[in-house]
């Protein structure tokens, strides 16, 4: 296992600004600035062994909704030739929309409630249990040639993305500035890609984030984005110029750690701060695909998949490869979602709700009160982009393990408009065959916020008989995968489940990823 800060066996090379400057002073390298010296002193990597290769480029604080406005032909070209999924981050109290949690999520492939990084202090990190993908690859495929280059030093100090690398370039953008160091990283990476044989590389570019903090997301930000696009282009060109390119299978992934408000800044719960994306091209990755269920944790899972590495269950990854499409029945509703009805605070162009369940499912509202906010009268089917806009900082942003379309019963939002009666609604699954089986298991993810006066119960009905309560929630369950295993009664041939929720200006219950197996 690699040392937490990424040092270890002698095959590894570390080049820092100070190291490069010292080499220049002794005459080993041409004299000049530290950044220039670092460009000249390209780290030496062990010879790669894999035809399958991956380059991950992390662009800090990149607002994906502004790419179309910028002079960014390489990013736009990758979107056309690859798979491009946008999504939203968590917010506090799970974690701030900051770089520490963001890059930890990218690298480890798990959410902050697992990797433990909640802000830029990195306190609480658990990289021992949830290492970054380079560290994980060093454990399971030590023969691979692994490279990392960063100029936000904490990513190396704590081993977030550099642990496991055989060679790394570590610069200090906070001290020296990111414009020059991003260029140094680009030039060095180009040399590594062109002249050496790496198998996996993680490259970090930070200037977009710095410019947004100082000047907002206006013209200067778009200029910085254009520079990074050209830097990305040089890396892509270096891959294409490799002598062995025809025999290699390259995957390129571009992603970000968080967004920015228009005036610049992040850490909070606004949609702009929570914006992320994963853009990928490579073998088996569809051209022009726009999946609605991609999440930031999918970067690490995609790296493993493209290298033919099967994650162990003990890794507890939250991500999955970007080309692996959902089989969740709720996601079949995505094309039929509509815009706001009573939720006037949600922009008209945001499509995100319906009361119509997927085929075979039903919603029973016979005991449901009248009136209330139309979108949330009984169980609804919605998206993170729509539902989390209804009211910020009430933990809706923490629903990270739902993907795409999910089911929600939200008595809190329903009660925001004149109504009478009680919120009382039941979501009913299809009947699943259990003939010949002794046990049946219900798998699902849930996000439940408890308050006195509400109930959340799961009921099971075998052969269409009287539903029986098999699970009840009486405390918060924040974005967790759940399983419930039941004995199948003798002679039973089918089972259906009911999610019954009641409340009145209480909180909510989210259900997603429902699967029944025997």
């Amino acid at each position: 296992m690699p040392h937490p800060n990424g040092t270890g066996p002698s095959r590894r090379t570390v080049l820092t600004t100070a190291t490069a400057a010292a080499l220049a002073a002794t005459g080993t390298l041409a004299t000049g600035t530290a950044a220039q010296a670092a460009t000249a002193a390209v780290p030496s990597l062990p010879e790669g062994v894999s035809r399958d290769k991956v380059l991950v480029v992390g662009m800090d604080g990149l607002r994906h909704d502004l790419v179309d406005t910028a002079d960014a032909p390489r990013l736009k070209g990758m979107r056309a030739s690859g798979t491009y999924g946008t999504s939203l981050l968590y917010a506090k109290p799970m974690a701030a929309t900051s770089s520490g949690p963001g890059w930890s999520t990218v690298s480890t492939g798990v959410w902050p409630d697992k990797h433990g990084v909640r802000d830029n202090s990195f306190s609480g990190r658990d990289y021992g249990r949830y290492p970054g993908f380079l560290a994980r690859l060093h454990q399971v495929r030590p023969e691979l040639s692994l490279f990392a280059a960063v100029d936000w030093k904490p990513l190396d100090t704590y081993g977030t993305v550099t642990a496991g690398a055989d060679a790394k370039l570590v610069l200090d953008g906070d001290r020296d500035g990111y414009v020059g160091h991003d260029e140094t990283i680009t030039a060095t990476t180009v040399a590594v890609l062109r002249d050496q044989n790496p198998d996996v590389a993680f490259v970090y570019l930070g200037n977009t984030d710095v410019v947004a903090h100082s000047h907002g997301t206006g013209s200067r930000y778009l200029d910085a984005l254009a520079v990074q696009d050209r830097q990305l282009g040089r890396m892509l060109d270096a891959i294409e110029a490799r002598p062995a390119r025809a025999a290699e299978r390259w995957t390129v992934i571009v992603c970000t750690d968080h967004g920015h408000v228009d005036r610049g800044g992040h850490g909070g719960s606004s949609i702009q701060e929570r914006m992320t994306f994963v853009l990928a091209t490579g073998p088996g990755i569809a051209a022009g695909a726009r999946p609605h269920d991609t999440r930031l944790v999918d970067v690490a899972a995609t790296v493993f998949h493209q290298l033919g590495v099967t994650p162990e269950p003990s890794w507890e990854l939250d991500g999955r490869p970007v080309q692996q499409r959902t089989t969740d029945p709720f996601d079949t509703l995505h094309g039929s979602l509509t815009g706001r009805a009573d939720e006037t605070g949600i922009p008209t162009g945001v499509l995100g709700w319906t009361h119509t369940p997927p085929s075979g499912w039903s919603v029973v509202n016979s005991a449901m009160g009248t009136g209330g906010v139309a979108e949330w009268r009984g169980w609804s089917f919605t998206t993170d982009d729509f539902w989390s806009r209804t009211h910020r900082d009430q933990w809706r942003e923490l629903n990270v393990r739902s993907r795409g379309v999910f089911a929600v019963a939200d008595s809190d939002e329903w009660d925001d408009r004149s109504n009478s009666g009680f919120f009382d609604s039941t979501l009913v699954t299809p009947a699943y065959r259990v003939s010949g089986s002794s046990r049946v298991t219900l798998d699902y993810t849930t996000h439940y916020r408890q308050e006195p006066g509400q109930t959340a119960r799961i009921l099971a009905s075998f052969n269409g008989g009287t539903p029986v309560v098999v699970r009840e929630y009486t405390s918060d369950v924040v974005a967790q995968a759940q399983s419930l295993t039941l004995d199948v009664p003798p002679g039973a041939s089918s089972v259906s489940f009911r999610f019954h929720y009641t409340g009145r200006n209480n909180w909510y219950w989210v259900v997603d990823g429902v699967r029944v197996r025997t």
Side-chain angles (χ1 to χ4, degrees):
M1 177 180 290
H3 189 277
N5 67 4
T7 60
S10 58
R11 76 197 291 258
R12 300 188 185 178
T13 302
V14 181
L15 182 66
T16 65
T17 308
T19 302
L23 290 170
T26 62
T28 306
L29 298 173
T31 57
T33 65
Q36 291 169 332
T39 304
V42 178
S44 179
L45 279 159
E47 181 68 13
V49 297
S50 178
R51 290 178 60 195
D52 295 297
K53 298 177 183 295
V54 182
L55 168 66
V56 179
V57 180
M59 297 186 175
D60 204 303
L62 187 64
R63 278 268 298 269
H64 63 74
D65 62 325
L66 300 177
V67 170
D68 282 334
T69 311
D71 178 18
R74 304 311 289 265
L75 284 168
K76 294 171 186 176
M78 281 189 65
R79 287 190 317 194
S81 62
T83 291
Y84 173 61
T86 63
S87 63
L88 297 173
L89 286 175
Y90 39 74
K92 295 177 181 178
M94 180 173 285
T97 49
S98 300
S99 291
W103 292 119
S104 297
T105 299
V106 168
S107 186
T108 63
V110 301
W111 293 111
D113 58 355
K114 287 183 180 178
H115 63 61
V117 180
R118 301 182 186 277
D119 53 39
N120 285 353
S121 72
F122 289 82
S123 61
R125 64 190 181 278
D126 192 2
Y127 297 150
R129 184 173 180 183
Y130 303 106
F133 61 78
L134 290 184
R136 184 74 77 181
L137 288 171
H138 181 70
Q139 294 172 10
V140 301
R141 296 275 298 277
E143 72 277 10
L144 292 176
S145 178
L146 310 176
F147 173 68
V150 300
D151 52 3
W152 188 47
K153 285 197 71 176
L155 295 179
D156 176 65
T157 302
Y158 302 107
T160 307
V161 301
T162 60
D166 297 306
K168 60 183 180 178
L169 170 62
V170 181
L171 306 176
D172 192 343
D174 287 342
R175 184 191 66 195
D176 307 323
Y178 284 86
V179 173
H181 281 338
D182 278 4
E183 177 58 29
T184 298
I185 284 174
T186 301
T188 303
T189 301
V190 165
V192 167
L193 293 172
R194 182 190 61 219
D195 303 328
Q196 299 189 51
N197 190 24
D199 294 317
V200 185
F202 177 90
V203 178
Y204 169 90
L205 301 173
N207 195 49
T208 40
D209 183 63
V210 174
V211 171
H213 277 292
S214 299
H215 305 288
T217 59
S219 60
R220 293 192 184 187
Y221 180 79
L222 296 179
D223 290 343
L225 198 162
V227 169
Q228 285 186 187
D229 184 81
R230 292 192 291 272
Q231 291 168 336
L232 169 66
R234 287 158 57 194
M235 297 180 214
L236 298 178
D237 291 343
I239 290 174
E240 294 306 314
R242 289 174 55 80
R245 176 67 180 93
E248 297 171 342
R249 297 182 291 262
W250 274 90
T251 296
V252 179
I253 302 171
V254 182
C255 60
T256 194
D257 55 336
H258 55 72
H260 270 273
V261 296
D262 290 343
R263 67 181 180 275
H266 56 86
S269 60
S270 71
I271 293 294
Q272 290 74 23
E273 292 165 278
R274 295 173 60 211
M275 284 183 173
T276 61
F277 71 95
V278 178
L279 172 58
T281 61
I285 297 176
R290 299 291 183 268
H292 60 268
D293 58 335
T294 298
R295 303 304 298 260
L296 200 60
V297 288
D298 295 343
V299 172
T302 303
V303 172
F304 297 138
H305 180 80
Q306 297 302 92
L307 291 167
V309 174
T310 301
E312 298 288 341
S314 61
W315 298 3
E316 299 179 14
L317 290 187
D318 290 320
R320 67 186 187 203
V322 296
Q323 61 266 58
Q324 187 179 108
R325 296 279 55 83
T326 178
T327 58
D328 177 33
F330 300 150
D331 286 314
T332 63
L333 304 174
H334 188 264
S336 61
L337 299 178
T338 61
R340 70 188 192 193
D342 292 336
E343 289 283 7
T344 57
I346 298 177
T348 55
V350 178
L351 305 180
W353 76 281
T354 182
H355 282 311
T356 304
S359 177
W361 292 68
S362 61
V363 175
V364 179
N365 283 336
S366 55
M368 184 73 199
T370 61
V373 175
E375 289 91 332
W376 316 115
R377 188 176 182 274
W379 280 93
S380 303
F381 306 92
T382 187
T383 66
D384 186 18
D385 192 26
F386 191 90
W387 184 56
S388 65
R389 292 177 189 260
T390 60
H391 200 125
R392 285 167 56 177
D393 301 319
Q394 293 184 339
W395 292 17
R396 289 178 182 84
E397 301 91 350
L398 277 54
N399 184 35
V400 292
R401 289 187 176 85
S402 291
R403 289 176 177 261
V405 181
F406 51 85
V408 61
D410 191 335
S411 67
D412 176 69
E413 280 300 302
W414 173 72
D415 196 60
D416 284 354
R417 192 177 178 95
S418 177
N419 61 78
S420 62
F422 211 64
F423 189 107
D424 191 324
S425 185
T426 303
L427 175 64
V428 185
T429 74
Y432 300 94
R433 291 183 58 81
V434 294
S435 299
S437 300
S438 60
R439 311 189 85 188
V440 61
T441 298
L442 171 69
D443 297 320
Y444 58 101
T445 61
T446 197
H447 179 54
Y448 176 69
R449 192 165 185 190
Q450 168 68 19
E451 189 174 71
Q454 69 182 22
T455 64
R457 304 182 301 166
I458 301 176
L459 301 90
S461 170
F462 288 94
N463 287 356
T466 302
V468 175
V469 176
V470 292
R471 176 165 289 176
E472 185 168 6
Y473 289 103
T474 57
S475 59
D476 295 335
V477 180
V478 179
Q480 294 297 321
Q482 305 273 277
S483 288
L484 172 62
T485 299
L486 306 174
D487 292 328
V488 176
S493 60
S494 68
V495 63
S496 64
F497 294 93
R498 296 172 175 241
F499 299 87
H500 180 214
Y501 175 83
T502 68
R504 170 115 197 166
N505 197 26
N506 298 111
W507 290 116
Y508 45 74
W509 189 14
V510 173
V511 173
D512 195 26
V514 176
R515 185 168 67 107
V516 174
R517 53 191 171 91
T518 56

